[in-house]
Amino acid sequence: QVQLVESGGGLVQAGGSLRLSCAASGIIFSINAMGWYRQAPGKQRELVAEITNSGRIYYADSVKGRFTISRDNAKNTVYLQMNTLKPEVTAVYLCHTKVWSDYWGQGTQVTVSS
């Protein structure tokens, strides 16, 4: 049974930082690409960042230079370091992987106040 559990969200002022974590179980973590998505109220879910098993990384243009995705295969965990946060990134952030099917975590709320 695949499980993805996010943590690290919260309320932060504009310009602040947060580090999200996603702990995975039930998969061979080291061979899976892991991604972070976000969904704001009334908006479509969008890919924020993804890291492949070989370490290749993708970032959405809107977060390049401010967000950093990383993974620790020994801990079965993927991270999203978010710096210089802006109110427009307020959303629920969800961890994702695909093992035949798509799997999602429950999400963690990130709220940035102006």
Side-chain angles (χ1 to χ4, degrees), residues 18-82:
L18 283 173
R19 188 194 196 203
L20 306 183
S21 300
C22 170
S25 60
I27 60 173
I28 305 174
F29 183 82
S30 62
I31 68 171
N32 278 79
M34 301 296 300
W36 285 99
Y37 285 71
R38 66 187 176 196
Q39 186 157 23
K43 295 187 177 181
Q44 284 191 328
R45 188 172 294 183
E46 62 173 345
L47 176 62
V48 175
E50 183 177 63
I51 183 167
T52 69
N53 60 339
S54 62
R56 191 168 59 193
I57 291 173
Y58 163 86
Y59 293 108
D61 287 342
S62 60
V63 307
K64 285 180 181 176
R66 297 186 296 114
F67 288 15
T68 303
I69 190 171
S70 61
R71 63 190 297 159
D72 186 336
N73 289 340
K75 295 182 178 180
N76 285 8
T77 301
V78 61
Y79 304 97
L80 186 67
Q81 177 68 44
M82 306 186 295

Side-chain angles (χ1 to χ4, degrees), residues 1-5 22-27 103-105:
Q1 181 180 356
V2 178
Q3 281 194 315
L4 303 174
V5 180
C22 170
S25 60
I27 60 173
Y103 291 91
W104 300 91

Side-chain angles (χ1 to χ4, degrees), residues 7-13 17-20 82 85 89-93 107-113:
S7 60
L11 173 64
V12 65
Q13 288 189 330
S17 298
L18 283 173
R19 188 194 196 203
L20 306 183
M82 306 186 295
L85 287 166
V89 308
T90 293
V92 174
Y93 283 71
T108 186
Q109 177 70 45
V110 171
T111 303
V112 183
S113 63

